[in-house]
């Protein structure tokens, strides 16, 4: 009965977590419900630190199989996932869809009964362009500098949005990464073979 209750609770948590966890701002990803935090805490009643750690590790192994995706870990206390989210956003030029890849880090921290997920860290958002030139999307105009090279900025340094479509797409990509892992954790926790 206790196992059934915990499974139902974990499923409910995972389903509710499929919504937007993080919002993209001019300072990076923050908790969508409490913008003062750059992380969210997910409860796992009845699970030990080691059990939650192992669930995330298995979920990452099932979700990220590219040689470009890597992780480092501090046994049972932290996992740092470093990867590439392909086609995070795009622009249309002369009838062609040109896509940008997002290079990211997500850090998971563990304690008995809970997990902290730090907002995805954007290392860069870039697309390869013809003739070896790359086009970047930066968080702010301050990071971007001059717009002469065609690079874009999502926000002003004060937080005004310049690129709503790109912000929405990148925000979705960050949430997809985290929600994908939470969903795989649910699948792993409920698998009985």
């Amino acid at each position: 009965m206790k196992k059934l209750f915990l499974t139902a609770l974990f499923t409910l948590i995972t389903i509710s977590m499929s919504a937007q966890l993080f919002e993209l701002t001019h300072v990076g990803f923050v908790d969508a419900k409490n913008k003062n935090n750059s992380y969210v805490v997910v409860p796992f009643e009845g699970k030990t630190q080691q059990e939650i750690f192992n669930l995330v590790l298995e979920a990452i192994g099932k979700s990220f199989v590219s040689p470009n995706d890597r992780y480092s870990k501090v046994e049972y206390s932290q996992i740092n996932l470093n990867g590439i989210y392909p086609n995070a956003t795009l622009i249309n030029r002369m009838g062609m869809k040109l896509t940008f890849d997002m290079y990211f880090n997500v850090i998971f921290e563990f304690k008995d009964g809970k997990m902290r997920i730090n907002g995805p860290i954007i290392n860069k958002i870039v697309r390869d362009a013809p003739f070896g030139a790359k086009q970047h999307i930066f968080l702010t105009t301050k990071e971007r500098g001059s717009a002469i090279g065609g690079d874009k900025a999502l926000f002003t340094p004060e937080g005004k949005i310049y690129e709503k479509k790109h912000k929405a797409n990148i925000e979705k990509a960050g949430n997809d990464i985290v929600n994908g892992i939470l969903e795989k954790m649910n699948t792993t926790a409920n698998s009985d073979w």
Side-chain angles (χ1 to χ4, degrees):
M1 180 71 170
K2 183 178 178 183
K3 182 178 178 183
L4 179 63
F5 172 74
L6 291 175
T7 301
L9 179 65
F10 187 78
T11 303
L12 180 64
I13 290 168
T14 302
I15 289 169
S16 68
M17 298 304 275
S18 293
Q20 181 177 346
L21 292 174
F22 292 102
E23 181 178 328
L24 185 60
T25 70
H26 68 291
V27 296
F29 281 98
V30 297
D31 180 349
K33 293 180 182 172
N34 181 356
K35 294 176 184 40
N36 293 323
N37 292 337
S38 60
Y39 61 89
V40 295
V41 176
V42 181
F44 288 92
E45 292 295 324
K47 296 268 186 207
T48 66
Q49 178 179 5
Q50 183 177 350
E51 288 172 326
I52 303 166
F53 175 90
N54 287 336
L55 282 172
V56 171
L57 204 55
E58 287 179 50
I60 288 172
K62 291 178 180 177
S63 300
F64 296 90
V65 294
S66 166
N68 294 318
D69 301 320
R70 295 180 174 80
Y71 69 89
S72 59
K73 62 184 179 175
V74 177
E75 203 67 26
Y76 307 127
S77 64
Q78 184 183 82
I79 297 173
N80 182 351
L81 174 63
N82 181 331
I84 301 170
Y85 189 101
N87 308 323
T89 191
L90 60 89
I91 57 175
N92 289 308
R93 288 247 169 89
M94 298 183 298
M96 295 183 348
K97 291 183 178 183
L98 308 173
T99 61
F100 289 82
D101 297 336
M102 181 174 76
Y103 293 71
F104 69 88
N105 280 72
V106 179
I107 298 172
F108 301 86
E109 298 177 69
F110 308 94
K111 290 186 177 181
D112 287 341
K114 60 186 173 181
M115 169 177 67
R116 173 177 160 154
I117 306 170
N118 295 307
I121 299 165
I122 298 173
N123 298 319
K124 65 182 173 179
I125 302 167
V126 64
R127 78 170 187 89
D128 289 327
F131 312 112
K134 293 184 184 284
Q135 186 177 11
H136 293 82
I137 297 177
F138 295 95
L139 272 182
T140 66
T141 53
K142 185 177 181 180
E143 292 174 24
R144 178 196 67 199
S146 170
I148 292 172
D151 292 336
K152 298 185 174 298
L154 300 175
F155 301 93
T156 66
E158 297 78 33
K160 179 184 171 196
I161 300 172
Y162 275 140
E163 299 282 345
K164 288 182 181 178
K165 178 186 91 169
H166 293 305
K167 175 198 179 286
N169 290 341
I170 293 163
E171 194 169 79
K172 181 183 178 311
N175 282 298
D176 284 352
I177 294 163
V178 173
N179 286 325
I181 290 171
L182 289 171
E183 288 170 16
K184 286 287 187 196
M185 288 174 69
N186 186 35
T187 303
T188 301
N190 292 324
S191 67
D192 186 20
W193 55 276

